[in-house]
Amino acid sequence: MNAGDTERRPWVVGVSGASGTPYAAAVLRALLAAGESVDLVVSRASRLTLLDETGISFRDAHWREDLQEWLARGADGKPGTFGVSAEAVRYWAAGDLAAGPSSGSYATKGMLIVPASTACVAGVALGLSKDLLQRAASVTLKEGRRLVVCVRETPLNGQTLRHLVSLDEAGAIVLPASPAFYAGATHIQDLVDFVAGRTLDAAGVPHQLYRRWKGELGGGSREG
């Protein structure tokens, strides 16, 4: 489904201020590769993290160029690693509480928060809606749409665990950013893609980001 379709139903992708912006980039690339439309919300805190982790300044007035540069960058920080078009992305400023995803009548397939900080988790669990990211997540829950929360923090204290349980009880899928090694990872991008792939699995979006377990010990260490 392309951005220009009259029946456009995007996935909302929220990027919070937790470390892990390569996870968000991998999810965005895979959604676009699957032909999905995306509504993107980048929190104020995540801009600082993105600048720190990639050197990219994400600006409202130049979001498409900045997004293109971000998506082209590998998890190791190397520019130009991926070729991807962001034409199917619609961007909404985090402070725009009148944006499309702030209303339940705005049709979406669901929302992915990746990475999700503990502050973001708390805000969504408590229904604070202090910015568009939190408001869109609350709308996703109240409308019974799929919400995947890719939490990126360690260790987790009791308060955050209680917030995560609240999200689970509300219908969200809590997905810790926890890479696995059975898929034969040989590069940091492989570990990032595993988490991104599991996020998309939870959303029901097809992808080829990692090698799936086939019930054969040692399968990840062999070619094929």
Side-chain angles (χ1 to χ4, degrees):
M1 186 176 293
N2 297 319
D5 291 344
T6 57
E7 298 299 322
R8 182 180 186 272
R9 286 191 65 208
W11 284 98
V12 180
V13 176
V15 186
S16 80
S19 177
T21 55
Y23 292 133
V27 165
L28 289 166
R29 285 192 298 265
L31 284 171
L32 295 172
E36 299 286 348
S37 294
V38 174
D39 275 21
L40 178 64
V41 182
V42 179
S43 76
R44 291 180 180 177
S46 69
R47 295 172 190 241
L48 298 177
T49 307
L50 183 63
L51 180 62
D52 186 53
E53 293 183 345
T54 69
I56 297 171
S57 296
F58 197 91
R59 303 158 294 174
D60 286 346
H62 303 281
W63 70 267
R64 192 173 294 280
E65 299 95 317
D66 297 336
L67 176 62
Q68 198 75 48
E69 181 182 359
W70 178 24
L71 296 185
R73 193 168 298 228
D76 58 2
K78 184 179 179 181
T81 300
F82 298 98
V84 60
S85 170
E87 288 301 313
V89 177
R90 179 179 292 169
Y91 171 72
W92 302 96
D96 184 4
L97 291 177
S102 69
S103 172
S105 65
Y106 183 82
T108 72
K109 292 185 177 181
M111 182 173 183
L112 315 176
I113 305 178
V114 54
S117 65
T118 55
C120 174
V121 165
V124 176
L126 296 173
L128 298 182
S129 295
K130 75 181 184 76
D131 62 8
L132 179 59
L133 195 159
Q134 292 184 14
R135 172 61 184 167
S138 294
V139 166
T140 301
L141 287 176
K142 81 178 182 69
E143 295 295 323
R145 298 167 186 161
R146 191 164 301 191
L147 174 64
V148 182
V149 180
C150 185
V151 60
R152 216 304 307 163
E153 186 59 88
T154 190
L156 296 171
N157 62 25
Q159 186 177 46
T160 298
L161 290 170
R162 285 187 287 272
H163 289 150
L164 291 172
V165 170
S166 294
L167 289 177
D168 175 77
E169 292 175 342
I173 298 173
V174 176
L175 193 147
S178 179
F181 295 84
Y182 62 76
T186 59
H187 190 275
I188 185 174
Q189 189 67 54
D190 298 326
L191 299 176
V192 167
D193 285 347
F194 180 87
V195 171
R198 294 297 287 146
T199 301
L200 293 174
D201 286 345
V205 177
H207 66 86
Q208 296 182 340
L209 286 175
Y210 68 88
R211 185 182 321 200
R212 298 185 181 278
W213 175 251
K214 296 182 179 178
E216 181 183 359
L217 291 176
S221 61
R222 295 193 288 272
E223 295 289 337

